[in-house]
Amino acid sequence: ILISEIDIAKRIGAKQIVFHAPKFMDLEGLKKQKENINFLKDISKSAKEQGVQLLIEFPTKGPFTKIETLKELFKIFPDLQMCLDVGHLVKVKNSFEEEKKIVGELRNSIVHLHINDSGDEEKTEHRDFGEREDHYLELLKYIKEVCPINKAIIEVNDEDIAKNIYRIIKGIFE
């Protein structure tokens, strides 16, 4: 699946591809299937050779919401990095301390942020920015302290909301 995306990214000049781990994918099962590991290593190597960085997005379900699983994944695939979907993180974890722990432990792998405010949390599986703005601000300030992030994706359905989020993020990360 990622092979065609890598090719397209190279042709259009994109430097990164963000992908979701399949919700059914289990790291232990993946490790047992040596051919899958080798295939993913080959894809990772190919992407790097073509100047495209692979980023896995922090999900809302499955084994890749766990620190240990993600750390093992990054150990197996050292060129893989993370797009931290802040809305997924806030939805999955039960406290600011748990969120900080994920960010702190994965800080060297987090290179990109995804922030959502679509107005439909259930459909998008995100905790919207506008619903917990104070919480988001505190978390974004912590992320700024510990992560080497210089890019963010803002996913919204409204221009005014996009401008507000951009203004806030710019204020934190500049």
Side-chain angles (χ1 to χ4, degrees):
I1 292 174
L2 288 172
I3 294 170
S4 61
E5 282 86 349
I6 292 167
D7 182 54
I8 291 167
K10 182 177 166 95
R11 284 190 277 140
I12 66 171
K15 301 293 183 208
Q16 298 171 319
I17 295 173
V18 177
F19 71 96
H20 294 88
K23 291 180 175 120
F24 60 83
M25 191 159 121
D26 172 281
L27 190 58
E28 287 306 310
L30 182 65
K31 284 166 44 178
K32 290 176 187 169
Q33 299 173 340
K34 194 157 185 80
E35 65 275 4
N36 286 340
I37 290 284
N38 290 335
F39 177 70
L40 289 173
K41 283 185 177 180
D42 288 344
I43 288 176
S44 182
K45 181 181 175 189
S46 174
K48 185 176 182 178
E49 288 170 354
Q50 295 187 54
V52 177
Q53 183 181 32
L54 296 179
L55 308 177
I56 188 169
E57 185 172 287
F58 186 86
T60 57
K61 295 179 182 140
F64 294 100
T65 60
K66 296 182 176 86
I67 292 174
E68 300 77 24
T69 305
L70 286 164
K71 286 169 94 172
E72 182 69 18
L73 184 71
F74 293 130
K75 189 162 60 167
I76 294 169
F77 304 104
D79 294 326
L80 183 65
Q81 298 288 300
M82 174 170 276
C83 174
L84 179 63
D85 188 318
V86 182
H88 286 175
L89 178 65
V90 172
K91 187 163 184 142
V92 169
K93 298 305 170 187
N94 296 319
S95 70
F96 184 63
E97 291 308 313
E98 283 186 63
E99 295 159 6
K100 279 176 55 175
K101 184 175 181 184
I102 290 271
V103 171
E105 298 234 4
L106 300 176
R107 69 184 168 276
N108 295 323
S109 299
I110 300 169
V111 297
H112 204 101
L113 289 180
H114 176 195
I115 297 172
N116 183 289
D117 195 336
S118 66
D120 190 350
E121 291 184 11
E122 291 310 310
K123 183 178 178 187
T124 64
E125 297 186 336
H126 292 88
R127 181 74 66 220
D128 281 346
F129 183 89
E131 293 298 315
R132 308 224 20 227
E133 189 170 322
D134 290 341
H135 182 85
Y136 262 85
L137 291 175
E138 190 175 354
L139 183 56
L140 289 171
K141 287 175 184 173
Y142 178 74
I143 291 168
K144 168 65 175 157
E145 286 176 27
V146 300
C147 293
I149 293 175
N150 62 6
K151 295 182 183 116
I153 298 167
I154 301 171
E155 182 182 353
V156 297
N157 296 329
D158 180 276
E159 184 178 349
D160 291 334
I161 292 172
K163 287 177 182 177
N164 183 50
I165 292 173
Y166 174 77
R167 180 186 52 75
I168 290 167
I169 292 171
K170 187 176 178 186
I172 292 171
F173 286 91
E174 281 195 335

